[in-house]
Amino acid sequence: MSTDDNSTNTKLALIAACTKGRPIILKACLEILAAQQIVNGCELKILIVENDNEEKSKYAVDEAKKNSPYEILYVLHKTPGIPNARNVAINKAIDIDADYLLFLDDDEEADPSWASRLIKAAHYYDADCIQGKVIYQYPTSELWVNTIIADKNKTTRPEGKVLRTAATNNVLISKNVFSNFHFDQNMQYTGGSDTDFFRRASKKGHRITYTHKAIVRETVTHRRCSLSWQFQREARNKAISVYVDNKLLGSARTITKHTRRSIFELLKGLVFLIICLPFFLLSKEKGKSNLFIATKFFAASFGRSEERR
């Protein structure tokens, strides 16, 4: 186990990854987590929550335990749905009296300094939650996607920016947050339970801060580069936003807010749809990129809930 900067008090950090039916991908994730650096005076443990009806990936965990410098915990949770699996991680963090709970996806690659940079950022910014940076790696064959979505990998948020919400694909949650909040089980199949979780924490006064120094990398599959998948994703995100706002703001304010926003998104979609047509004459990639933007705006203009495991 390698170390980084000093810390005055001993802290316990629990890294959690939820998984289902992807033992090979999980194995690669665990191998990378074994190389994590950690600040002096901070103990690190790893938790794998398998959200399935049987132990399909436990052998990958058992194999990783042989070479990992960190203790690896395993829990099989049969109740389906990502918020249920995340709540198992919260309960485990509480049971072992962890000071920090770090989440990443099982298909992500964390830089060796990832955990230590999240912890140091929490101290430096005196933050209750830290959102790290995700670098998306797209298929080189999907040129049209790279021309428009490559901007997601640029540092658009300033270091130390205070956020209203966060995502569990790269985040640190301190004890004073995870000991008082759980993920909404009613969002069992919809996705977005992390958005809801952090919105509620922020509304209660907990500070969420961004750092681009704690990096994980995610490889995007060809399926997720399709216009139909992106349309469904944006529509789902819109439905989630309405659901969360209704919980926090009430129905009247939510209707007013999203009616105005839907009209605006629809108009933007029409504009980009018109723009994309001449671009197709010049370049198929550029034309498809603008069609992609139009598709996202159209989807965001109405939204729909969709079950997702």
Side-chain angles (χ1 to χ4, degrees):
M1 179 175 74
S2 54
T3 58
D4 209 44
D5 289 354
N6 292 325
S7 179
T8 55
N9 300 317
T10 300
K11 302 288 186 180
L12 174 58
L14 178 66
I15 296 177
C18 302
T19 189
K20 179 181 180 180
R22 304 200 290 189
I24 296 176
I25 291 175
L26 177 62
K27 182 176 182 293
C29 178
L30 286 169
E31 289 174 353
I32 291 171
L33 289 179
Q36 282 297 298
Q37 302 166 353
I38 195 65
V39 293
N40 287 330
C42 188
E43 181 185 359
L44 182 65
K45 294 185 179 182
I46 299 169
L47 170 67
I48 300 301
V49 180
E50 183 164 18
N51 192 204
D52 215 327
N53 55 7
E54 60 183 20
E55 296 178 346
K56 297 177 182 177
S57 301
K58 188 174 184 296
Y59 76 89
V61 176
D62 293 337
E63 188 67 24
K65 287 181 179 180
K66 299 175 183 178
N67 300 311
S68 176
Y70 305 111
E71 181 181 359
I72 302 178
L73 309 173
Y74 171 87
V75 176
L76 174 67
H77 189 68
K78 296 184 179 182
T79 304
I82 190 64
N84 297 312
R86 289 169 179 159
N87 284 337
V88 169
I90 285 179
N91 293 335
K92 177 60 70 174
I94 294 172
D95 289 344
I96 67 174
D97 197 26
D99 297 282
Y100 306 111
L101 175 59
L102 285 63
F103 277 107
L104 83 166
D105 293 345
D106 65 348
D107 60 349
E108 291 178 330
E109 299 180 6
D111 282 5
S113 61
W114 168 68
S116 65
R117 289 186 181 276
L118 284 176
I119 293 170
K120 286 191 291 184
H123 284 281
Y124 184 80
Y125 295 114
D126 192 24
D128 301 298
C129 302
I130 295 291
Q131 176 77 79
K133 180 179 178 63
V134 180
I135 295 179
Y136 295 94
Q137 300 171 325
Y138 292 90
T140 55
S141 60
E142 300 288 352
L143 297 178
W144 72 274
V145 175
N146 286 288
T147 59
I148 191 64
I149 311 183
D151 290 339
K152 292 178 67 175
N153 291 334
K154 297 178 181 178
T155 306
T156 54
R157 289 174 176 167
E159 176 70 20
K161 178 180 175 61
V162 176
L163 306 177
R164 188 177 63 160
T165 189
T168 53
N169 57 1
N170 181 357
V171 75
L172 173 149
I173 310 172
S174 61
K175 179 188 292 187
N176 62 330
V177 175
F178 67 70
S179 60
N180 291 293
F181 293 88
H182 278 74
F183 293 91
D184 185 350
Q185 295 177 339
N186 292 322
M187 304 180 79
Q188 184 178 17
Y189 297 126
T190 63
S193 61
D194 49 356
T195 299
D196 170 71
F197 178 94
F198 291 106
R199 281 280 303 276
R200 286 185 282 120
S202 177
K203 189 174 178 64
K204 289 293 185 179
H206 294 289
R207 184 183 180 90
I208 306 171
T209 305
Y210 173 77
T211 180
H212 63 256
K213 298 177 181 179
I215 296 172
V216 300
R217 303 169 198 277
E218 179 179 339
T219 299
V220 180
T221 62
H222 283 275
R223 184 176 69 88
R224 295 191 176 190
C225 294
S226 68
L227 290 177
S228 62
W229 192 92
Q230 292 292 335
F231 185 91
Q232 292 173 14
R233 179 178 183 272
E234 290 300 319
R236 184 174 62 243
N237 287 345
K238 177 68 173 183
I240 291 167
S241 179
V242 172
Y243 174 79
V244 174
D245 279 342
N246 190 55
K247 287 173 60 177
L248 298 177
L249 305 177
S251 58
R253 290 180 61 187
T254 298
I255 291 172
T256 301
K257 172 183 175 180
H258 286 279
T259 298
R260 289 199 306 261
R261 183 171 294 178
S262 294
I263 294 172
F264 183 57
E265 299 289 355
L266 182 60
L267 292 175
K268 287 196 293 185
L270 290 171
V271 169
F272 273 94
L273 183 61
I274 295 172
I275 291 174
C276 80
L277 296 178
F279 269 109
F280 268 111
L281 300 177
L282 300 174
S283 167
K284 181 179 179 181
E285 282 71 31
K286 289 183 180 179
K288 202 170 182 181
S289 296
N290 283 280
L291 180 58
F292 166 76
I293 297 175
T295 297
K296 293 183 69 174
F297 285 140
F298 281 130
S301 70
F302 64 91
R304 64 187 176 90
S305 181
E306 178 183 89
E307 286 196 356
R308 183 182 70 175
R309 289 183 184 273

